[in-house]
């Protein structure tokens, strides 16, 4: 197999090339600065790739996603059964071996399939650290519902523990599971499991409703202002602009510098570009299209800075009540 001459990093670079600049940029923005630099170097030095080799890299990527999807839905044994039917026993074993470290079932798997209200019944009287640990393993929608139903003081305590949580040992997870195992049948990973953190809290608060978000962030402001600001930065991302109504987008665009807008859109999705262009005048939209067409390469850091400025404007306008950001868990607009 010719593709075997590539390292995993080279395969990742080849895959990004096949995605095209816009989708590749969307992938890169989720990686660390170090990984972005390494992949950029690989892309620059990759050279010409045979069509057959590209096909092999794409096939491996497809098999990887297929296996992970199967494992997340029904466990490793289920994934093995599907892979054997799809690719044969030998190929199935090869894929599973390659993914052995990443196909371990996450703790609280059944909890993620349970109703949030049921989970709330036996979590609400637990210690805040226990609640934070369980919420960190749930879907943001579930965790947001549970957090919104907790008393305000507990909300703040749990949120702080969530944001400052880093890596949790299997022993602690097992101890929590031993309390909940009569209700939840979970599988514990053998490796240290990384859960929680600022990103997780931001996702949860985004789905908890504005009142809960405001209460939690005010409490975090008193306890750790820097942490509260880091959470705020992640509460609304540039791609979330598509969730604003047209009127709000038009209000935002009045305050955005045209240069920042063009740089920000350079690394955005087509959906975001379409929403922005739709809410500009015909002349302004045409000028922006031309600017994007003739703009040269832009550093990822520049794109992120420009997008950050626009997000800051959006949050300022929301705080002033000028625009509304729709969030789950409550009705934001009353007619």
């Amino acid at each position: 197999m010719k593709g075997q001459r590539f390292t995993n990093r080279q395969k990742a670079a080849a895959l990004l090339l096949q995605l095209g600049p816009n989708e590749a940029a969307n992938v890169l923005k989720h990686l660390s600065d170090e990984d972005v630099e390494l992949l950029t170097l690989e892309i620059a030095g990759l050279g010409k790739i045979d069509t057959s080799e590209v096909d092999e890299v794409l096939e491996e990527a497809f098999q990887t996603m297929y296996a992970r999807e199967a494992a997340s839905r029904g466990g490793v044994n289920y994934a093995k059964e599907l892979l054997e039917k799809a690719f044969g026993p030998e190929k199935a074993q090869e894929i599973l071996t390659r993914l052995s470290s990443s196909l371990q079932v996450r703790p609280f798997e059944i909890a993620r399939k349970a109703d949030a209200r049921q989970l709330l019944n036996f979590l609400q009287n637990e210690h805040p650290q226990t609640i934070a640990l369980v919420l960190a393993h749930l879907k943001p929608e579930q965790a947001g519902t549970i957090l919104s139903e907790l008393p305000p003081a507990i909300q703040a305590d749990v949120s702080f523990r969530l944001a400052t949580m880093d890596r949790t040992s299997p022993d602690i997870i097992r101890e929590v599971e031993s309390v909940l195992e009569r209700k939840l049948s979970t599988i514990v990973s053998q490796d240290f499991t990384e859960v929680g953190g600022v990103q997780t809290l931001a996702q949860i608060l985004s789905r908890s409703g504005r009142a809960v978000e405001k209460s939690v962030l005010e409490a975090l402001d008193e306890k750790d202002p820097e942490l509260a600001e880091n959470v705020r930065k992640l509460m609304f991302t540039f791609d979330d602009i598509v969730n604003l109504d047209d009127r709000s987008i038009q209000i935002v665009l009045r305050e955005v510098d045209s240069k920042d807008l063009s740089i920000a859109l350079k690394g955005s999705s087509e959906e975001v570009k379409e929403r922005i262009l739709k809410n500009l005048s015909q002349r302004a939209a045409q000028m922006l299209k031309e600017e994007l067409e003739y703009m040269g390469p832009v550093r990822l850091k520049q794109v992120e800075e420009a997008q950050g400025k626009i997000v800051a404007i959006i949050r300022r306008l929301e705080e002033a009540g000028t625009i509304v950001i729709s969030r789950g868990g409550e009705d934001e607009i009353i007619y």
Side-chain angles (χ1 to χ4, degrees):
M1 177 177 171
K2 294 179 182 179
Q4 289 180 342
R5 72 181 178 89
F6 292 121
T7 64
N8 287 335
R9 193 176 294 152
Q10 287 172 328
K11 291 176 183 177
L15 182 59
L16 286 175
L17 286 174
Q18 296 305 304
L19 290 177
N22 290 332
E23 292 304 322
N26 286 332
V27 173
L28 288 176
K29 71 182 182 182
H30 294 290
L31 304 179
S32 67
D33 290 344
E34 182 182 1
D35 286 337
V36 170
E37 290 175 8
L38 291 172
L39 278 173
T40 301
L41 289 174
E42 291 292 349
I43 291 172
L46 202 55
K48 186 177 180 181
I49 311 175
D50 292 341
T51 303
S52 61
E53 292 175 325
V54 171
D55 290 341
E56 288 171 4
V57 170
L58 294 175
E59 177 66 17
E60 182 176 325
F62 167 75
Q63 292 171 353
T64 300
M65 291 186 290
Y66 185 86
R68 283 178 176 158
E69 175 69 14
S72 65
R73 286 175 176 269
V76 176
N77 290 333
Y78 178 69
K80 181 180 179 182
E81 181 181 347
L82 285 187
L83 289 171
E84 287 179 347
K85 289 181 179 179
F87 306 110
E90 185 176 342
K91 190 67 177 178
Q93 187 57 48
E94 176 189 326
I95 296 171
L96 288 172
T97 299
R98 188 169 65 239
L99 300 175
S100 58
S101 63
S102 61
L103 282 180
Q104 295 181 24
V105 179
R106 294 171 58 195
F108 303 99
E109 183 66 35
I110 294 179
R112 284 191 292 278
K113 298 177 182 178
D115 180 76
R117 302 289 176 179
Q118 294 175 334
L119 294 172
L120 175 66
N121 288 336
F122 59 87
L123 277 179
Q124 57 189 353
N125 295 322
E126 296 292 336
H127 189 278
Q129 185 65 29
T130 300
I131 299 174
L133 179 61
V134 176
L135 293 190
H137 285 85
L138 299 179
K139 297 175 184 176
E141 293 83 359
Q142 291 174 298
T145 298
I146 293 171
L147 186 66
S148 65
E149 294 295 328
L150 296 172
I154 302 298
Q155 287 176 355
D157 193 359
V158 168
S159 296
F160 180 79
R161 292 169 188 272
L162 253 172
T164 55
M165 189 182 297
D166 186 13
R167 301 176 73 84
T168 307
S169 103
D171 291 338
I172 295 177
I173 293 179
R174 290 190 186 98
E175 184 177 345
V176 173
E177 288 180 331
S178 68
V179 176
L180 306 177
E181 64 184 0
R182 287 175 297 178
K183 298 288 184 180
L184 301 173
S185 175
T186 58
I187 302 174
V188 180
S189 170
Q190 296 303 307
D191 296 325
F192 276 67
T193 305
E194 187 170 352
V195 295
V198 176
Q199 180 71 52
T200 302
L201 176 59
Q203 291 176 340
I204 291 172
L205 287 181
S206 294
R207 295 162 174 83
S208 299
R210 179 59 175 158
V212 174
E213 174 194 324
K214 187 172 184 295
S215 173
V216 167
L217 289 175
E218 286 176 353
L220 288 181
D221 276 329
E222 295 182 6
K223 187 172 290 190
D224 191 330
E226 184 178 352
L227 176 63
E229 182 58 28
N230 288 336
V231 173
R232 283 191 176 93
K233 288 178 181 178
L234 295 172
M235 288 295 297
F236 184 95
T237 68
F238 186 74
D239 286 340
D240 291 330
I241 285 176
V242 298
N243 297 321
L244 294 177
D245 61 79
D246 289 342
R247 177 181 171 277
S248 294
I249 293 177
Q250 291 163 16
I251 292 172
V252 171
L253 291 175
R254 291 178 198 142
E255 302 205 16
V256 173
D257 182 272
S258 59
K259 185 177 180 180
D260 286 336
L261 181 60
S262 58
I263 293 175
L265 290 180
K266 185 72 174 178
S268 71
S269 67
E270 288 301 319
E271 187 179 7
V272 172
K273 289 178 184 175
E274 288 174 6
R275 286 300 306 278
I276 295 295
L277 291 169
K278 173 187 173 184
N279 285 284
L280 289 171
S281 67
Q282 187 174 355
R283 181 172 177 275
Q286 184 59 38
M287 290 176 62
L288 181 57
K289 287 179 182 178
E290 292 175 358
E291 176 70 19
L292 290 172
E293 184 178 352
Y294 294 109
M295 184 185 295
V298 179
R299 292 181 180 276
L300 180 62
K301 185 176 181 181
Q302 290 179 283
V303 173
E304 291 175 343
E305 287 177 354
Q307 292 181 349
K309 290 179 183 179
I310 295 174
V311 169
I313 290 172
I314 292 171
R315 291 198 63 84
R316 174 170 57 78
L317 290 172
E318 187 207 17
E319 290 293 333
T322 308
I323 65 172
V324 172
I325 298 176
S326 179
R327 292 174 171 83
E330 61 186 58
D331 292 323
E332 292 280 4
I333 305 175
I334 300 176
Y335 293 99

